[in-house]
Amino acid sequence: MKQRGNILFLILLAVVLFAALSYAVTSSMRGGGSNSGKENAELAAADILNYFSQVDTAVQRMVLTGGVEDYQLNFYYQSTNNFVMGSNDNTNCTDSRCRVFDPSGGGVSGRNHFSEYMSTPNTSYAPLLLYASVNGVGSSKPDIVLALRGIKASICSAITKKAGIDYIIPQGVIPTSGDSWMYQFSIPVGSIPDSTEDTPTNITTEIGTKQTFCACHTTVTNGCESAGFPVVYHVVLAR
């Protein structure tokens, strides 16, 4: 009888422990949604920043030790809208050593879109390459800037926080028209111009020396994702 009582006690204890474990797992799953979303945004931000880092490393090596001038850097590779939006090749570059995405040049494994991180996936949104003088970065001369459009606000927020900025910059627009848009319109022959017809708006000195930040086309950040889509900007080369 005593042994039977012990077995019954162990069975009841096992049932109680199993119920407690089930409750803990269920509670964790219910409460883990927001944490999971945050973790996914941080992983996406890390992936984007890692890509920028690869481009930066290649560009710095090409300029510092490869004898490539800033105006010779060629982000066009093989075909239209490949790794940057546009169809005009950089005629200042005459061999593979100045091509960022060429294995014989910068050797960067280019990515032609980041649709997996967009609010509305769009495989036609290849990254933009712009001439733009970002306030607080380098001199007043136009910098070479890589831009990713339509990125989810949560990912943008994760990127700005890594840069020490607590919010997506509202109305922080770098125009994507005129001679600021490399490869889509005309590419200057010779040196990069000291000014462009379009300049960034509302990009303040809070950027400082930070190379990467996120801005929105709307006046308020809480309507950014639905109305204007956030844009991740990265200064590849400050001038």
Side-chain angles (χ1 to χ4, degrees):
M1 290 292 293
K2 182 177 181 180
Q3 185 176 7
R4 186 176 300 174
N6 288 339
I7 293 174
L8 180 60
F9 173 77
L10 290 175
I11 292 174
L12 291 173
L13 179 62
V15 170
V16 170
L17 291 174
F18 180 77
L21 179 61
S22 299
Y23 176 79
V25 170
T26 302
S27 298
S28 175
M29 291 179 66
R30 286 176 179 173
S34 58
N35 290 334
S36 176
K38 182 179 179 181
E39 289 174 2
N40 288 339
E42 290 178 349
L43 287 172
D47 182 36
I48 291 172
L49 293 173
N50 180 60
Y51 179 71
F52 289 156
S53 178
Q54 292 176 44
V55 174
D56 290 347
T57 299
V59 166
Q60 292 299 321
R61 174 173 52 80
M62 294 165 75
V63 171
L64 296 176
T65 64
V68 178
E69 300 293 339
D70 56 7
Y71 61 86
Q72 293 177 313
L73 287 168
N74 198 345
F75 295 81
Y76 180 93
Y77 187 58
Q78 293 184 335
S79 62
T80 298
N81 303 334
N82 193 10
F83 302 141
V84 290
M85 179 69 74
S87 58
N88 293 306
D89 201 351
N90 187 351
T91 56
N92 295 316
C93 173
T94 57
D95 56 58
S96 60
R97 69 185 177 88
C98 48
R99 292 185 177 274
V100 175
F101 299 112
D102 193 307
S104 299
V108 177
S109 297
R111 296 171 67 169
N112 58 4
H113 57 78
F114 287 78
S115 63
E116 68 271 32
Y117 300 144
M118 294 178 183
S119 301
T120 304
N122 190 337
T123 56
S124 68
Y125 266 20
L128 296 176
L129 199 70
L130 307 166
Y131 290 135
S133 180
V134 179
N135 195 9
V137 179
S139 67
S140 60
K141 294 181 179 180
D143 308 304
I144 298 179
V145 180
L146 198 61
L148 308 182
R149 298 167 291 170
I151 301 299
K152 293 178 181 177
S154 58
I155 298 174
C156 263
S157 294
I159 287 174
T160 57
K161 286 180 180 178
K162 289 179 183 294
I165 303 172
D166 292 330
Y167 57 92
I168 299 173
I169 300 170
Q171 274 195 316
V173 181
I174 294 181
T176 55
S177 61
D179 58 7
S180 66
W181 190 342
M182 295 173 68
Y183 302 113
Q184 180 67 12
F185 300 102
S186 60
I187 293 179
V189 176
S191 61
I192 297 174
D194 289 340
S195 63
T196 63
E197 66 182 46
D198 292 318
T199 56
T201 60
N202 204 36
I203 303 295
T204 66
T205 53
E206 68 185 309
I207 299 302
T209 57
K210 300 174 182 65
Q211 285 183 278
T212 310
F213 58 95
C214 194
C216 188
H217 287 213
T218 58
T219 56
V220 290
T221 56
N222 60 5
C224 186
E225 191 162 7
S226 61
F229 294 115
V231 180
V232 178
Y233 294 107
H234 175 71
V235 179
V236 176
L237 189 68
R239 298 177 65 245

